[in-house]
Amino acid sequence: MGGPGDPSEGTPEGGPGGGEEEYRSVVFDESFVRAARLQEFSAHERLADHAPAVRRRPPVRRGLSRQVFVLVLLIAIAFGTAIYMGARHPYRTPAAQQPVEPLRMTVIPLAPQGKVPGSTDIETLYAQSPAAQYRIGAEGVPLPASRNTAHFSDSQVVGALTVVKDYIVRSALHPEVVIGDQVRPVRVLLDSDQLDQFDQSFDHPAADGRHAPTGWLVRFDPDKVELADRRIRVQGSLHAAETDSSTLEVTADHTFVYALRPAGGGSRAEASLFTVRRELHFRFDHDDLRMRQTQLVVSYVQAGPLSCADDSTNRLRPLLAGQTAKSGGPAGTDPYATGSATALCGSLAQSAQPRV
């Protein structure tokens, strides 16, 4: 039997010994307490009327630094992607792009060496001329087999050739342009920097090698002539080549043959053939290819039968069946032959006329 100061058995609760080990697993550290969602009010706070025993603590904001890191990473990825796409963009504007040149044009009238042959049978006229095997209309302007260049893709080369074909068809094969006053079908295909020169050519024609409407397109005086056959014959070639990393050039060389008769003459009037040889040089930069426009930089035209005394700057005024020229040129020039050249006026070779 122990004394009054000793416990009846074992070590007092909370004292050193086994009791500490027994409750160690249920002791909450300070961080656990701070993270608790519920907090008990103090005794003083519980004195207030109807005060609940506990209150809800605001949630602890965790992971903020991780969210900031993810956001910064996404911004960096987006910025890097934008830089990469800008560097790889296929339509970026070259650093050094050539300025648009004004069109340089030459129009050479070819005078007949005798009377202009004619016939009421248009098919016979064509059959007995060098244009007997020419195709009709746009079929006579086929696109050549194209290949990419060092700085232009195959699709870009095809696009340039297609624009040039459209220009040729609209400027020399559309009746409303050839025998009328329409110019818009041609104008819309030109680079915007050439429009002032184009408009001035038609508003104020001049034989200065820069402002002749017949350098831009083929057109006749509707008060003098009309088309005896709207099926215009044509034959020629297209050739594309790269001149530098930012410039693609297309050369077009075509001969057009028109059956004409006096305006208002009707089918009883004799028709005659009129020949136009055009060598055109077109230029494209990347903007032109994207906009489906072109720069016409050189236009060399031979046309006949014409009188050298007539002005061919604004409209062509053909000599018709049975007519003769007032004066001829220095030598016979054949517009059907490639590589031929003349002075300011030439004479039309007999071989270029129908044998009727």
Coordinates of all heavy atoms in Angstrom, one line a residue, residues 278-335:
R278 N 2.9 41.5 -132.2 CA 3.2 42.2 -130.9 C 4.2 41.4 -130.2 O 4.0 40.2 -130.0 CB 1.9 42.3 -130.1 CG 0.8 43.1 -130.7 CD -0.5 42.9 -129.8 NE -0.5 43.9 -128.7 CZ -1.3 43.7 -127.6 NH1 -2.0 42.6 -127.5 NH2 -1.3 44.6 -126.6
E279 N 5.3 42.1 -129.7 CA 6.2 41.5 -128.8 C 6.1 42.3 -127.5 O 6.5 43.5 -127.5 CB 7.6 41.5 -129.3 CG 8.6 40.9 -128.4 CD 10.0 40.8 -129.0 OE1 10.2 40.9 -130.2 OE2 11.0 40.7 -128.2
L280 N 5.7 41.7 -126.4 CA 5.4 42.3 -125.2 C 6.3 41.7 -124.1 O 6.5 40.5 -124.0 CB 3.9 42.2 -124.8 CG 2.9 42.6 -125.8 CD1 1.5 42.4 -125.3 CD2 3.1 44.1 -126.2
H281 N 6.8 42.6 -123.2 CA 7.6 42.1 -122.1 C 6.9 42.5 -120.8 O 6.7 43.7 -120.5 CB 9.0 42.7 -122.1 CG 9.8 42.3 -123.3 ND1 10.9 41.4 -123.2 CD2 9.7 42.6 -124.6 CE1 11.4 41.2 -124.4 NE2 10.7 41.9 -125.3
F282 N 6.6 41.5 -120.0 CA 5.9 41.8 -118.7 C 6.9 41.5 -117.5 O 7.8 40.6 -117.6 CB 4.7 40.8 -118.6 CG 3.7 41.0 -119.7 CD1 3.8 40.4 -120.9 CD2 2.6 41.9 -119.4 CE1 2.8 40.6 -121.9 CE2 1.6 42.1 -120.4 CZ 1.8 41.4 -121.6
R283 N 6.7 42.2 -116.4 CA 7.4 42.0 -115.2 C 6.5 41.8 -114.0 O 5.5 42.4 -113.9 CB 8.4 43.2 -115.0 CG 9.3 43.1 -113.8 CD 10.2 44.3 -113.7 NE 11.1 44.3 -114.9 CZ 11.8 45.3 -115.2 NH1 11.7 46.5 -114.6 NH2 12.7 45.2 -116.3
F284 N 7.0 40.9 -113.1 CA 6.2 40.6 -111.9 C 7.1 40.6 -110.7 O 8.2 40.1 -110.7 CB 5.6 39.1 -112.0 CG 4.6 38.9 -113.1 CD1 4.9 38.7 -114.4 CD2 3.2 39.0 -112.8 CE1 4.0 38.5 -115.4 CE2 2.3 38.8 -113.8 CZ 2.7 38.5 -115.1
D285 N 6.6 41.2 -109.6 CA 7.3 41.1 -108.3 C 6.3 40.2 -107.5 O 5.2 39.8 -107.9 CB 7.6 42.4 -107.7 CG 6.4 43.3 -107.5 OD1 5.3 42.8 -107.4 OD2 6.6 44.6 -107.6
H286 N 6.6 40.0 -106.2 CA 5.8 39.1 -105.4 C 4.4 39.8 -105.2 O 3.4 39.0 -105.1 CB 6.5 38.9 -104.1 CG 7.7 37.9 -104.2 ND1 7.5 36.6 -104.2 CD2 9.0 38.2 -104.4 CE1 8.7 36.0 -104.3 NE2 9.6 37.0 -104.4
D287 N 4.4 41.1 -105.0 CA 3.1 41.7 -104.9 C 2.2 41.6 -106.1 O 1.0 41.3 -106.0 CB 3.2 43.2 -104.6 CG 3.8 43.5 -103.2 OD1 3.6 42.6 -102.3 OD2 4.4 44.5 -102.9
D288 N 2.8 41.7 -107.3 CA 2.0 41.5 -108.5 C 1.4 40.1 -108.6 O 0.3 39.9 -109.0 CB 2.9 41.8 -109.7 CG 3.3 43.2 -109.9 OD1 2.4 44.1 -109.6 OD2 4.4 43.5 -110.3
L289 N 2.2 39.1 -108.2 CA 1.8 37.7 -108.3 C 0.6 37.5 -107.3 O -0.3 36.8 -107.6 CB 2.9 36.8 -108.0 CG 4.0 36.7 -109.0 CD1 5.2 35.9 -108.5 CD2 3.5 36.1 -110.3
R290 N 0.7 38.1 -106.1 CA -0.4 38.0 -105.2 C -1.6 38.7 -105.6 O -2.7 38.2 -105.4 CB 0.1 38.5 -103.8 CG -0.9 38.2 -102.7 CD -0.4 38.6 -101.3 NE -0.1 40.0 -101.2 CZ 1.1 40.6 -101.2 NH1 2.2 39.9 -101.4 NH2 1.2 41.9 -101.1
M291 N -1.5 39.8 -106.3 CA -2.7 40.6 -106.7 C -3.2 40.2 -108.1 O -4.2 40.8 -108.5 CB -2.3 42.1 -106.7 CG -1.9 42.6 -105.3 SD -3.2 42.6 -104.1 CE -4.3 43.8 -104.8
R292 N -2.5 39.3 -108.8 CA -2.8 38.9 -110.1 C -2.8 40.1 -111.1 O -3.7 40.4 -111.8 CB -4.2 38.2 -110.2 CG -4.2 36.8 -109.6 CD -5.5 36.1 -109.8 NE -5.9 36.1 -111.2 CZ -5.4 35.3 -112.2 NH1 -4.5 34.4 -111.9 NH2 -5.9 35.4 -113.4
Q293 N -1.7 40.9 -111.0 CA -1.5 42.0 -111.8 C -0.1 41.9 -112.4 O 0.7 41.0 -112.1 CB -1.6 43.3 -111.0 CG -3.0 43.6 -110.5 CD -3.1 44.8 -109.7 OE1 -2.2 45.3 -109.1 NE2 -4.4 45.4 -109.6
T294 N 0.2 42.8 -113.4 CA 1.5 42.8 -114.0 C 2.0 44.2 -114.4 O 1.2 45.1 -114.4 CB 1.4 41.9 -115.3 OG1 2.7 41.7 -115.9 CG2 0.5 42.5 -116.3
Q295 N 3.3 44.2 -114.7 CA 3.8 45.5 -115.2 C 4.2 45.2 -116.7 O 5.0 44.3 -117.0 CB 5.1 45.8 -114.4 CG 4.9 45.9 -112.9 CD 6.2 45.9 -112.2 OE1 7.2 46.5 -112.7 NE2 6.2 45.3 -111.0
L296 N 3.7 46.0 -117.6 CA 4.0 45.9 -119.0 C 5.1 46.9 -119.2 O 4.9 48.1 -119.1 CB 2.8 46.2 -119.9 CG 3.1 46.2 -121.4 CD1 3.6 44.9 -121.9 CD2 1.8 46.5 -122.2
V297 N 6.3 46.4 -119.6 CA 7.5 47.3 -119.6 C 8.0 47.6 -121.0 O 8.6 48.6 -121.3 CB 8.7 46.8 -118.8 CG1 8.3 46.8 -117.3 CG2 9.1 45.4 -119.2
V298 N 7.7 46.7 -122.0 CA 8.1 46.9 -123.4 C 7.0 46.4 -124.3 O 6.4 45.3 -124.1 CB 9.4 46.2 -123.8 CG1 9.7 46.3 -125.2 CG2 10.6 46.7 -122.9
S299 N 6.6 47.3 -125.3 CA 5.6 46.9 -126.3 C 6.1 47.3 -127.6 O 6.3 48.4 -128.0 CB 4.3 47.6 -126.0 OG 3.4 47.4 -127.0
Y300 N 6.4 46.2 -128.5 CA 6.9 46.5 -129.8 C 5.8 45.9 -130.8 O 5.5 44.7 -130.8 CB 8.2 45.8 -130.0 CG 8.8 45.9 -131.4 CD1 9.4 47.1 -131.8 CD2 8.7 44.9 -132.4 CE1 9.9 47.3 -133.1 CE2 9.2 45.1 -133.7 CZ 9.8 46.3 -134.0 OH 10.2 46.4 -135.3
V301 N 5.3 46.8 -131.7 CA 4.1 46.4 -132.5 C 4.4 46.7 -134.0 O 4.9 47.8 -134.3 CB 2.9 47.2 -132.1 CG1 1.7 46.8 -132.9 CG2 2.5 46.9 -130.6
Q302 N 4.1 45.8 -134.8 CA 4.1 46.0 -136.3 C 2.7 45.7 -136.8 O 2.1 44.7 -136.4 CB 5.1 45.0 -137.0 CG 6.6 45.2 -136.6 CD 7.5 44.1 -137.2 OE1 7.0 43.2 -137.7 NE2 8.8 44.3 -137.0
A303 N 2.2 46.6 -137.6 CA 0.8 46.4 -138.0 C 0.6 46.9 -139.5 O 1.2 47.9 -139.9 CB -0.1 47.2 -137.1
G304 N -0.2 46.1 -140.2 CA -0.4 46.5 -141.6 C -1.5 45.6 -142.3 O -1.8 44.6 -141.7
P305 N -2.0 46.1 -143.4 CA -1.6 47.2 -144.2 C -2.1 48.6 -143.6 O -3.3 48.7 -143.3 CB -2.2 47.0 -145.5 CG -3.4 46.1 -145.3 CD -3.1 45.3 -144.1
L306 N -1.2 49.5 -143.5 CA -1.4 50.9 -143.0 C -0.7 51.8 -144.0 O 0.2 51.5 -144.6 CB -1.0 51.1 -141.6 CG -1.7 50.4 -140.4 CD1 -0.9 50.6 -139.1 CD2 -3.1 51.0 -140.3
S307 N -1.2 53.0 -143.9 CA -0.5 54.1 -144.7 C 0.4 54.8 -143.7 O 0.0 55.2 -142.5 CB -1.5 55.1 -145.2 OG -0.8 56.2 -145.8
C308 N 1.7 55.0 -144.1 CA 2.7 55.6 -143.2 C 2.3 57.1 -142.9 O 2.7 57.6 -141.9 CB 4.0 55.6 -143.8 SG 4.7 53.9 -143.9
A309 N 1.4 57.6 -143.8 CA 1.0 59.0 -143.6 C 0.0 59.2 -142.5 O -0.2 60.2 -142.0 CB 0.5 59.6 -144.9
D310 N -0.7 58.1 -142.2 CA -1.8 58.1 -141.2 C -1.2 58.0 -139.8 O -0.2 57.3 -139.6 CB -2.8 57.0 -141.4 CG -3.7 57.3 -142.7 OD1 -3.7 58.5 -143.1 OD2 -4.2 56.3 -143.2
D311 N -1.8 58.6 -138.8 CA -1.4 58.6 -137.4 C -2.0 57.3 -136.8 O -3.2 57.1 -136.7 CB -1.9 59.8 -136.7 CG -1.4 59.8 -135.2 OD1 -0.5 59.0 -134.9 OD2 -1.8 60.7 -134.5
S312 N -1.1 56.4 -136.3 CA -1.5 55.1 -135.7 C -1.4 55.2 -134.2 O -1.3 54.1 -133.5 CB -0.7 54.0 -136.3 OG -0.9 53.9 -137.7
T313 N -1.3 56.4 -133.6 CA -1.0 56.5 -132.2 C -2.2 56.1 -131.4 O -2.2 55.3 -130.4 CB -0.6 58.0 -131.9 OG1 0.6 58.3 -132.6 CG2 -0.3 58.1 -130.4
N314 N -3.4 56.7 -131.7 CA -4.6 56.5 -131.0 C -5.4 55.3 -131.4 O -5.7 54.4 -130.6 CB -5.5 57.7 -131.1 CG -6.7 57.6 -130.1 OD1 -6.7 56.9 -129.1 ND2 -7.7 58.4 -130.4
R315 N -5.6 55.1 -132.7 CA -6.3 54.0 -133.3 C -5.7 53.6 -134.6 O -5.1 54.4 -135.3 CB -7.8 54.3 -133.5 CG -8.6 54.6 -132.3 CD -10.1 54.8 -132.6 NE -10.9 55.2 -131.5 CZ -11.5 54.4 -130.7 NH1 -11.4 53.1 -130.9 NH2 -12.2 54.8 -129.7
L316 N -5.7 52.3 -134.9 CA -5.2 51.8 -136.2 C -6.3 52.1 -137.2 O -7.5 51.8 -137.0 CB -4.9 50.3 -136.1 CG -3.9 49.9 -135.0 CD1 -3.7 48.4 -134.9 CD2 -2.5 50.6 -135.3
R317 N -5.8 52.6 -138.4 CA -6.7 52.9 -139.5 C -6.3 52.1 -140.7 O -5.6 52.6 -141.6 CB -6.7 54.4 -139.8 CG -7.3 55.2 -138.7 CD -7.2 56.7 -139.0 NE -8.0 57.5 -138.0 CZ -7.4 57.9 -136.8 NH1 -6.2 57.6 -136.5 NH2 -8.1 58.6 -136.0
P318 N -6.7 50.8 -140.8 CA -6.3 49.9 -141.8 C -6.7 50.4 -143.2 O -7.7 51.0 -143.4 CB -6.9 48.6 -141.5 CG -7.3 48.7 -140.0 CD -7.6 50.2 -139.8
L319 N -5.8 50.0 -144.2 CA -6.2 50.1 -145.6 C -7.0 48.9 -145.9 O -6.6 47.7 -145.6 CB -4.9 50.2 -146.5 CG -4.1 51.5 -146.3 CD1 -2.8 51.4 -147.1 CD2 -4.9 52.7 -146.7
L320 N -8.1 49.0 -146.6 CA -9.0 47.9 -146.8 C -8.9 47.4 -148.2 O -8.0 47.9 -149.0 CB -10.5 48.4 -146.5 CG -10.7 48.8 -145.1 CD1 -12.1 49.3 -144.9 CD2 -10.3 47.8 -144.1
A321 N -9.7 46.4 -148.6 CA -9.6 45.8 -149.9 C -9.6 46.8 -151.1 O -10.5 47.7 -151.1 CB -10.7 44.7 -150.1
G322 N -8.7 46.7 -152.0 CA -8.6 47.6 -153.1 C -7.9 48.9 -152.9 O -7.6 49.6 -153.9
Q323 N -7.6 49.2 -151.7 CA -6.9 50.5 -151.4 C -5.4 50.4 -151.5 O -4.8 49.3 -151.3 CB -7.3 51.0 -150.0 CG -8.8 51.4 -149.8 CD -9.1 51.9 -148.5 OE1 -8.4 51.6 -147.5 NE2 -10.2 52.7 -148.4
T324 N -4.7 51.5 -151.7 CA -3.3 51.5 -151.8 C -2.7 52.6 -150.8 O -3.5 53.5 -150.4 CB -2.8 51.9 -153.2 OG1 -3.4 53.1 -153.6 CG2 -3.2 50.8 -154.2
A325 N -1.5 52.4 -150.4 CA -0.8 53.4 -149.5 C -0.4 54.6 -150.3 O 0.0 54.5 -151.4 CB 0.3 52.7 -148.8
K326 N -0.4 55.7 -149.6 CA 0.1 57.0 -150.2 C 1.6 57.0 -150.3 O 2.1 57.5 -151.2 CB -0.4 58.2 -149.3 CG -1.9 58.3 -149.3 CD -2.3 59.5 -148.3 CE -3.8 59.6 -148.2 NZ -4.2 60.7 -147.3
S327 N 2.2 56.3 -149.4 CA 3.7 56.2 -149.5 C 4.1 54.9 -148.7 O 3.5 54.5 -147.8 CB 4.4 57.4 -148.8 OG 4.0 57.5 -147.5
G328 N 5.2 54.3 -149.2 CA 5.7 53.1 -148.6 C 6.9 53.3 -147.7 O 7.4 54.4 -147.6
G329 N 7.4 52.2 -147.2 CA 8.6 52.3 -146.4 C 9.8 51.9 -147.1 O 9.8 51.7 -148.3
P330 N 10.9 51.7 -146.4 CA 12.2 51.5 -147.0 C 12.4 50.0 -147.5 O 13.2 49.8 -148.4 CB 13.2 51.8 -145.9 CG 12.5 51.5 -144.6 CD 11.1 51.9 -144.9
A331 N 11.7 49.1 -146.9 CA 11.9 47.7 -147.3 C 10.7 46.9 -147.0 O 9.9 47.3 -146.2 CB 13.2 47.1 -146.7
G332 N 10.6 45.7 -147.6 CA 9.5 44.8 -147.2 C 9.7 44.1 -145.9 O 10.7 43.5 -145.6
T333 N 8.7 44.2 -145.0 CA 8.7 43.6 -143.7 C 7.6 42.6 -143.5 O 6.5 42.9 -143.8 CB 8.6 44.7 -142.6 OG1 9.6 45.6 -142.7 CG2 8.6 44.1 -141.2
D334 N 8.0 41.4 -143.1 CA 7.0 40.3 -142.9 C 6.7 40.2 -141.4 O 7.5 39.7 -140.7 CB 7.6 39.0 -143.5 CG 6.5 37.9 -143.5 OD1 5.4 38.1 -142.9 OD2 6.8 36.8 -144.0
P335 N 5.5 40.6 -141.0 CA 5.1 40.4 -139.6 C 4.9 39.0 -139.1 O 4.9 38.7 -137.9 CB 3.8 41.2 -139.5 CG 3.2 41.1 -140.8 CD 4.4 41.1 -141.8

